[in-house]
Amino acid sequence: MNIGEVAERSGIPPKTIRYYEDIGLVRPQRSGNGYRAFREMDVHKLAFLGRARALGFSIEDCRTLLSLYEDESRESAQVKAIAEEHLTAIDEKITQLQSMRETLSHLIKSCHGDHRPDCPILSDLAGDPTVVRTVSSLANKAAK
Amino acid sequence: MNIGEVAERSGIPPKTIRYYEDIGLVRPQRSGNGYRAFREMDVHKLAFLGRARALGFSIEDCRTLLSLYEDESRESAQVKAIAEEHLTAIDEKITQLQSMRETLSHLIKSCHGDHRPDCPILSDLAGDPTVVRTVSSLANKAAK
DNA sequence: TATTGAGCTTCCAGTCACTGGAAGCCCTAT
DNA sequence: ATAGGGCTTCCAGTGACTGGAAGCTCAATA
């Protein structure tokens, strides 16, 4: 199976599949003409990766999850631990985004948004505490 | 004022301040010894940038916001439009994260997490539809 | 005065997970 | 014979920094 068909069947673009090979996530064989020759197993692996990535797992997490998947003597606790850690990270991101959302929507509501230059959004960003004063209550670091 | 003091007062690390100069967000003067010489205005600008970044605005948005801030003839509608677009993007991210969160927490609940190898999380990632089957309902692309 | 040591400088490389593009080979159909 | 689409590799760019090396400047101390 060539890369194009694999891409279609796994939902992973060719460029990304090559990248995954580069970093050792899949190891397709090669045909005589130098083309990658994928087996069913590879398609399966790539679809696994696609789903794990869609859940937001990092590439390194995906690598670990794949190896656990292939390890018959794994303990489900190992998998669960990774998932729980990731869930915690997701929750933190959500919390941070909601805090930004909160502040930003307040600011937007307070801005009349017309042809005049007066703007509480800019005033707040400039540090003027008389307007809404909520941004500085945010953690200093934005989402990475 | 040297970069260290500015970093402390603006909350932006020296490395980042130099980076912001590189990309033209601030233009500190120079002293005879080659050191950057910051004025109050620069500290103010950097604090502005810090707050805008904390709200999740991109660097390019920050650049625009700064120039609007300095433009006396701006229309607040321009600022509001940028903020609203950003709010929409935040909402989309939150929605996506919540969808991941939902699926992931279901999977975690269904995994006993002990010494045995059976694991619904892995089964689901592997595409087994008999277990929980929620991941594939996620959009194919993870958060950028 | 000589020497620390902190703080400043520039430049290069790495992060994460791809993605785009160029140059060129391979294969099938006309 | 040629055209095209698909495949190959390699290099560079994305966003927003961050780490590290090599080297200069400055203030304080021995």
Side-chain angles (χ1 to χ4, degrees), chain B residues 27-127:
Chain B
R27 303 178 198 284
Q29 301 184 303
R30 296 284 175 147
S31 322
N33 57 12
Y35 286 17
R36 287 167 183 81
F38 295 85
R39 289 162 300 175
E40 282 303 321
M41 196 199 74
D42 297 311
V43 180
H44 190 67
K45 253 192 186 179
L46 286 165
F48 182 106
L49 287 169
R51 280 183 287 262
R53 293 288 298 128
L55 277 179
F57 284 105
S58 72
I59 289 288
E60 282 321 302
D61 277 351
C62 289
R63 196 190 297 279
T64 308
L65 289 170
L66 253 188
S67 78
L68 285 171
Y69 178 61
E70 288 167 345
D71 175 6
E72 309 251 314
S73 73
R74 69 180 165 255
E75 304 188 4
S76 62
Q78 300 176 269
V79 181
K80 192 169 183 171
I82 292 171
E84 279 170 341
E85 214 169 304
H86 181 45
L87 182 59
T88 302
I90 288 177
D91 282 342
E92 278 166 15
K93 268 193 189 168
I94 290 176
T95 301
Q96 189 175 23
L97 284 170
Q98 277 168 342
S99 150
M100 287 179 186
R101 207 222 107 90
E102 183 76 2
T103 303
L104 194 57
S105 67
H106 282 325
L107 287 172
I108 287 173
K109 270 180 212 140
S110 71
C111 174
H112 35 60
D114 56 18
H115 61 290
R116 287 170 299 170
D118 323 278
C119 178
I121 302 173
L122 290 181
S123 302
D124 189 273
L125 290 175

Side-chain angles (χ1 to χ4, degrees), chain A residues 55-68:
Chain A
L55 277 179
F57 284 105
S58 72
I59 287 287
E60 283 321 303
D61 277 350
C62 288
R63 195 190 297 280
T64 308
L65 290 170
L66 253 188
S67 78
L68 285 171

Side-chain angles (χ1 to χ4, degrees), chain A residues 17-27 59-60 63:
Chain A
I17 296 175
R18 293 194 192 99
Y19 171 68
Y20 285 174
E21 184 187 6
D22 264 8
I23 62 174
L25 284 181
V26 282
R27 301 180 198 284
I59 287 287
E60 283 321 303
R63 195 190 297 280

Side-chain angles (χ1 to χ4, degrees), chain B residues 126-143:
Chain B
D128 180 347
T130 68
V131 194
V132 182
R133 200 79 307 266
T134 33
V135 183
S136 63
S137 65
L138 260 63
N140 231 6
K141 297 280 165 190

